[in-house]
Amino acid sequence: MDHAASTPVHPEVAERMMSVMTHQFGNASSVHGFGREAKRIVNGSRDQLSSWLGCEPDELVFTGGGTESDNLAIFGVMEQIGVQGSHVITSAIEHHAVLHACHELERQGCEVTYIPVDAMGRVSLKAIEDAMQENTALVTVMYGNNEVGTVQPIFEIGELCRSHGVIFHTDAVQALGSVSVSCRDMPVDLWSFSAHKINGPQGVGALVVRRGISLSPRLFGGVQEKKRRAGTENMAGIAGFAKAVELAAAAGQVRVQHYDELRTALLNGLRREIGENSFVINGHLEHYLPHILNISFPDTTTETMLMNLDMEGIAAASGSACTSGSLEISHVLLAMKLSDPVLRSAIRFSFGLGNTTQEMEYTAQKIGTILNRLRK
Ligand SMILES: Cc1ncc(COP(=O)(O)O)c(C=O)c1O
């Protein structure tokens, strides 16, 4: 139940990658037949992916994953505009790939505003509008949060940015496969994606860059990806990514319904086993990613619950980074200004294709047993 961290590679994705790895050994930049075949695979995957994501093939840049896409978007745009003396708006609950990139921008002389969120983890449009300055160059706000699942008003933020002539980037790493993503239909200039969150391989992702947005490269070398990302393409990874998105697109609403069923089964199980008053849902009750459910059990702590769950064979997560053996309180939950017992006992459950409602019931029962044991 930790699919927000990573997901198992789908067997059909593995099969596709195996076929590429065992039959293709060209470099997509070579002019001979082997190279042309490699290029056909990379560009064929690009065509497929761009049609599912709703962008043009030349708007899609393959990267080494979500972190690289976020960094390429932020530094790529800001280096074009000029880091020093510019202003960037982001939210307090971004993934560290965005937050730490913004800290680096600050170190380089850029002003950054971190928009707070409400108790359910949502930014307010008004707060973003109020933060807009003459020198605001970029707004970067994630589509769906990886710790509590809250979905942000991306369309409205995009329209606001358009009306101010400001570039808008969204980290859609957790959103892909769970909520609608159609790059062409939304006023978003740059989108970050990662394959391993949707049953694709680790270490490959994409940045969609709307035509007309200039981007400075982060890597220098060859002319791959139209000079936006140098380096030989991860051909098998890219083919696997395309297959993963194809499968997610084919499953469509069925996949989302499955997550909703799992979510409901877990919540109903908890109500039955420990009672409504023994847990708190962290996140938005209307605007949420269906595969992420963050729950606090204020009678215990995150560490104790995670350890006990692990002993029962249940893998869940805290939203926190584990540094030198101790759990740091999550910056997302802190930004939501939750009470101390809620902050210190939050567990992130995240669902995926292999999970069943029986597993949710098993988990709820085990949580009941664990809490009883701890009380004694
Ligand atoms: C919202 C979000 N952004 C970015 C990333 C980083 O993606 P990757 O692991 O592909 O570098 C993650 C991964 O956890 C994420 O959840």
Side-chain angles (χ1 to χ4, degrees):
M1 297 171 75
D2 193 16
H3 289 80
S6 201
T7 56
V9 171
H10 193 289
E12 287 184 44
V13 170
E15 208 178 289
R16 171 79 181 124
M17 292 178 70
M18 191 62 167
S19 155
V20 171
M21 285 189 290
T22 47
H23 295 102
Q24 309 299 335
F25 17 81
N27 182 322
S29 300
S30 301
V31 291
H32 51 61
F34 296 99
R36 287 199 304 277
E37 191 51 26
K39 193 174 203 126
R40 193 184 63 75
I41 288 169
V42 170
N43 283 342
S45 303
R46 189 191 314 279
D47 290 345
Q48 283 179 312
L49 268 166
S50 49
S51 93
W52 290 311
L53 295 174
C55 65
E56 299 303 321
D58 64 1
E59 292 178 316
L60 196 142
V61 181
F62 286 118
T63 65
T67 301
E68 191 189 320
S69 298
D70 286 341
N71 276 264
L72 178 59
I74 292 168
F75 291 105
V77 165
M78 292 311 296
E79 274 173 23
Q80 279 287 314
I81 294 173
V83 173
Q84 279 206 0
S86 288
H87 175 235
V88 169
I89 299 174
T90 187
S91 85
I93 58 151
E94 296 298 305
H95 187 273
H96 284 137
V98 168
L99 275 186
H100 290 170
C102 286
H103 295 163
E104 176 57 22
L105 283 181
E106 282 186 285
R107 206 190 58 76
Q108 293 178 16
C110 181
E111 187 188 346
V112 181
T113 303
Y114 299 88
I115 302 290
V117 292
D118 64 18
M120 292 201 271
R122 234 173 173 230
V123 297
S124 100
L125 211 55
K126 168 97 174 48
I128 298 179
E129 184 156 28
D130 290 348
M132 288 279 188
Q133 299 177 178
E134 203 55 16
N135 60 342
T136 305
L138 173 73
V139 171
T140 169
V141 173
M142 70 200 316
Y143 197 148
N145 182 265
N146 49 301
E147 292 190 28
V148 293
T150 301
V151 170
Q152 303 299 338
I154 291 306
F155 198 94
E156 292 80 0
I157 298 173
E159 293 204 310
L160 179 70
C161 290
R162 286 269 155 94
S163 70
H164 284 75
V166 169
I167 295 175
F168 179 40
H169 163 246
T170 193
D171 173 337
V173 166
Q174 293 290 346
L176 185 62
S178 268
V179 286
S180 126
V181 167
S182 175
C183 300
R184 197 173 292 122
D185 300 329
M186 294 173 87
V188 177
D189 298 306
L190 301 115
W191 301 76
S192 296
F193 300 109
S194 179
H196 74 110
K197 310 291 183 178
I198 54 154
N199 307 101
Q202 297 180 345
V204 60
L207 179 69
V208 170
V209 187
R210 189 180 289 280
R211 275 186 192 160
I213 301 284
S214 312
L215 205 68
S216 294
R218 300 293 292 156
L219 299 176
F220 296 90
V223 296
Q224 291 92 348
E225 301 300 301
K226 299 203 183 304
K227 296 193 185 162
R228 294 168 294 189
R229 203 275 190 178
T232 301
E233 299 85 349
N234 175 359
M235 179 175 37
I238 287 169
F241 185 14
K243 189 73 196 174
V245 175
E246 176 192 323
L247 292 168
Q253 272 308 105
V254 175
R255 185 181 166 104
V256 173
Q257 264 163 22
H258 177 56
Y259 296 153
D260 260 328
E261 274 163 27
L262 297 173
R263 183 185 176 93
T264 306
L266 181 59
L267 287 173
N268 285 343
L270 287 174
R271 285 184 191 114
R272 195 180 55 240
E273 297 292 331
I274 62 173
E276 191 98 52
N277 296 330
S278 300
F279 67 96
V280 180
I281 302 174
N282 305 313
H284 210 282
L285 299 177
E286 192 188 339
H287 304 289
Y288 61 83
L289 298 175
H291 70 294
I292 295 181
L293 178 57
N294 192 304
I295 303 179
S296 287
F297 302 94
D299 287 347
T300 181
T301 64
T302 303
E303 239 165 334
T304 308
M305 182 57 91
L306 281 182
M307 245 163 44
N308 279 276
L309 285 172
D310 190 30
M311 286 192 296
E312 302 290 355
I314 300 164
S318 67
S320 331
C322 188
T323 15
S324 55
S326 66
L327 286 180
E328 238 172 55
I329 299 282
S330 132
H331 67 284
V332 175
L333 302 177
L334 275 174
M336 289 160 68
K337 298 196 172 65
L338 304 178
S339 72
D340 209 50
V342 173
L343 270 183
R344 293 184 185 282
S345 63
I347 305 283
R348 177 187 71 183
F349 299 99
S350 49
F351 317 123
L353 287 184
N355 287 137
T356 61
T357 46
Q358 286 80 1
E359 285 174 339
M360 301 302 121
E361 270 147 37
Y362 174 82
T363 303
Q365 274 167 21
K366 289 298 171 190
I367 289 173
T369 314
I370 292 166
L371 288 178
N372 272 337
R373 192 162 62 221
L374 294 175
R375 278 192 202 113
K376 278 185 200 145

